[in-house]
Amino acid sequence: MSALVAVGYRTEALDQTAIAALARNPAIRTLFGEPVALDQAGGFTVWRTGIVLAILLGVWTMLTATRITRGEEDAGRWSLLLAGRTTLAEAVRHHLGVLAVVPVVVGAATAAAMIAARVDTTGSLLHGAGLASVGLFFVAVGGISAQMFASRSAANGAAAAVLVVGVLTRMVGDGMPALAWLRWLSPFGLVALTRPFDTNRGLPVSVLTCAALLLLTLAGRLALRRDVGAGILATADSRPARTALLGSVPAFAVRRTMRPLAAWSTGIGAYSLLLGLIARSMTEFLTGNPQFAAMAAQAGFPALGTVEGYAATMFALLAVPVGVFVAVRLAAAAADENARRLTLLLAAPVTRLRLLAAEATIAGCAALVLITLSGLAMWAGTAAVRADLGAGDALAGAWNVVPIVVLCLGAGVLALGWKPHAVAAIGALPAAGGFMWQVIADSVEAPSWIRALSPFAHLAAVPATAPAWPAASAMAGIAVAGVVAGAIGYRRRDLWA
């Protein structure tokens, strides 16, 4: 991605007045970070992709760290290993140490790709070092949370909270100059403070790297202080029975989904509200600076100069987190099967198709709740700043992404039936993979038939235009075919196969 953006950068110099306006605009700074060195291909690449890549790398390393430590321990797959000479602390240190190599390799590959794209070597190396340090930091965060909590879900929740707070702290520090010092408290803010291709400051990335190494050391020390299967934070041995929503398979699917739905609703709702609050500032800036509007259009985000076009673009991005949510919920069902938690249930008079129908239906309904909440939050934000976006238009724009979410549901069910160990990856492919495909195709000006392979290419810009019903119907048909094929495979295969 970094190399493609750098190669595709247009060499003509930007108007300095427009650059100054971009740097002053609080909405731009809040969303994308402080604009730095936009007159260079490297600076523009970092501004456009740096935050997104850092967040993606942080999420991956965090979740992988909890999976290969607490997840393996919870599943009992470390029992034989720890019955030998290897201690728990050694196992934790060795696993985190190997995982820590990954972000270093990612950072080196990013720097090498940018250098190959003929941008400044110093800035490229600093940008790669920043990505590597973020990855190292969240390897340590995932490792520490895995020692603190006695379950993988609790460890994931705590680590995700650190990541979300870090992102929000960076956004506040970038958007409000009076609080710019907050960026020193966020891993993403520290990466931004390195200012690659501008002043090339090494101190912030050094601080972040040292913090990551200290936290990695702390994770190993914490492993010395607990027993296998336990966490540093003690949990109650007993509690009153909670029997609500345990009377049927669909009710239990609702119960399992409520807590994750609350967490995802909070994050998506807050972000949609923020997008609504900056809608007026964003559209006014792009209207007054057509150069940046043209850049956004070349990157695949046209019509940002109007509130309706801005809302349509932001709502299209909504398909990615909601599609991932659906994939994760179906992956949870596969994990329950793999961990033998479904054995007694399926030994009762409960058919596998009934279980699959309940999980898929509740996941789909929860996704619709997330979509509706996002539309209402966007409308509330625009109403607060007196931007011209009605509640009906906001809901229409949000619901426009339903076909892509349904595609994720179909892909997830298909994977559950035939490739149960890859449900999350395959289920998220239409949303996350489709979005990346469209961005890359737009960046390199690929032929239209290549761009058409992404489902995002077939979304209409609702509410700026009418929905594309034929394309939506086609995507729904593909999703139904995936559900049917997945149900056949799920019924035919053995448990844990």
Side-chain angles (χ1 to χ4, degrees):
M1 174 62 69
S2 300
L4 288 173
V5 174
V7 170
Y9 178 77
R10 295 297 178 263
T11 56
E12 67 264 15
L14 296 174
D15 180 32
Q16 294 302 313
T17 303
I19 293 178
L22 182 69
R24 291 192 303 267
N25 188 275
I28 297 290
R29 295 169 64 98
T30 299
L31 272 182
F32 305 110
E34 181 184 7
V36 173
L38 295 187
D39 57 339
Q40 303 178 47
F44 178 79
T45 301
V46 171
W47 178 68
R48 180 173 160 186
T49 67
I51 291 297
V52 175
L53 295 179
I55 292 174
L56 289 175
L57 185 59
V59 169
W60 186 87
T61 52
M62 170 191 76
L63 295 179
T64 305
T66 58
R67 178 179 62 81
I68 66 173
T69 54
R70 175 58 66 179
E72 294 295 297
E73 190 176 338
D74 285 351
R77 287 188 284 267
W78 273 16
S79 300
L80 185 60
L81 171 68
L82 299 179
R85 300 178 60 182
T86 302
T87 66
L88 175 63
E90 289 174 342
V92 169
R93 286 198 299 266
H94 292 164
H95 279 74
L96 294 181
V98 172
L99 179 60
V101 175
V102 176
V104 175
V105 172
V106 171
T110 303
M114 294 185 68
I115 292 172
R118 294 182 296 178
V119 298
D120 178 66
T121 300
T122 302
S124 299
L125 293 174
L126 190 58
H127 177 51
L131 290 177
S133 62
V134 167
L136 284 173
F137 181 83
F138 282 102
V139 168
V141 168
I144 288 178
S145 64
Q147 311 313 307
M148 297 297 295
F149 298 93
S151 69
R152 182 184 173 190
S153 59
N156 282 340
V162 173
L163 185 140
V164 170
V165 170
V167 172
L168 293 177
T169 302
R170 193 281 307 167
M171 295 175 76
V172 173
D174 279 333
M176 303 178 66
L179 298 176
W181 57 271
L182 286 174
R183 292 181 292 180
W184 285 93
L185 305 179
S186 165
F188 305 104
L190 286 169
V191 170
L193 287 170
T194 60
R195 300 174 70 91
F197 304 99
D198 183 42
T199 56
N200 291 325
R201 301 172 64 190
L203 177 61
V205 74
S206 300
V207 170
L208 183 56
T209 302
C210 290
L213 295 176
L214 289 174
L215 292 177
L216 282 171
T217 303
L218 177 60
R221 294 292 181 88
L222 290 175
L224 289 170
R225 300 173 59 87
R226 68 176 182 88
D227 293 330
V228 178
I232 298 295
L233 297 179
T235 56
D237 295 331
S238 63
R239 66 184 180 190
R242 295 181 293 181
T243 59
L245 299 175
L246 291 179
S248 67
V249 172
F252 183 60
V254 172
R255 173 179 170 135
R256 283 163 30 90
T257 305
M258 288 179 64
R259 184 176 295 180
L261 177 61
W264 283 75
S265 296
T266 301
I268 290 178
Y271 191 67
S272 298
L273 178 63
L274 173 64
L275 293 177
L277 290 172
I278 66 175
R280 186 171 180 177
S281 175
M282 191 79 163
T283 53
E284 289 178 351
F285 169 79
L286 291 172
T287 300
N289 296 274
Q291 275 187 305
F292 291 106
M295 281 186 175
Q298 189 271 337
F301 303 110
L304 288 178
T306 65
V307 174
E308 290 81 4
Y310 168 81
T313 300
M314 296 299 106
F315 281 134
L317 301 178
L318 174 65
V320 177
V322 178
V324 171
F325 169 81
V326 169
V328 168
R329 294 315 307 153
L330 293 176
D336 285 341
E337 178 184 337
N338 186 53
R340 309 297 198 267
R341 287 188 287 269
L342 297 181
T343 305
L344 291 177
L345 176 63
L346 293 175
V350 175
T351 65
R352 301 180 70 182
L353 289 183
R354 180 184 173 192
L355 179 64
L356 175 62
E359 293 289 345
T361 301
I362 298 306
C365 291
L368 296 180
V369 171
L370 288 176
I371 292 171
T372 303
L373 177 65
S374 176
L376 293 175
M378 174 78 84
W379 167 74
T382 56
V385 297
R386 296 183 176 85
D388 188 17
L389 183 67
D393 288 339
L395 289 173
W399 279 69
N400 186 53
V401 304
V402 168
I404 297 181
V405 176
V406 171
L407 274 179
C408 291
L409 182 65
V413 173
L414 180 65
L416 189 59
W418 298 95
K419 292 289 183 181
H421 298 294
V423 174
I426 295 175
L429 189 61
F435 177 72
M436 293 297 293
W437 185 276
Q438 183 192 33
V439 171
I440 293 173
D442 286 334
S443 299
V444 301
E445 298 182 353
S448 59
W449 67 269
I450 291 181
R451 187 178 184 275
L453 296 176
S454 168
F456 287 86
H458 306 286
L459 282 185
V462 181
T465 62
W469 295 113
S473 300
M475 285 188 274
I478 295 173
V480 170
V483 169
V484 172
I488 294 173
Y490 189 67
R491 184 180 181 184
R492 289 171 59 88
R493 70 173 175 84
D494 291 334
L495 285 175
W496 321 307

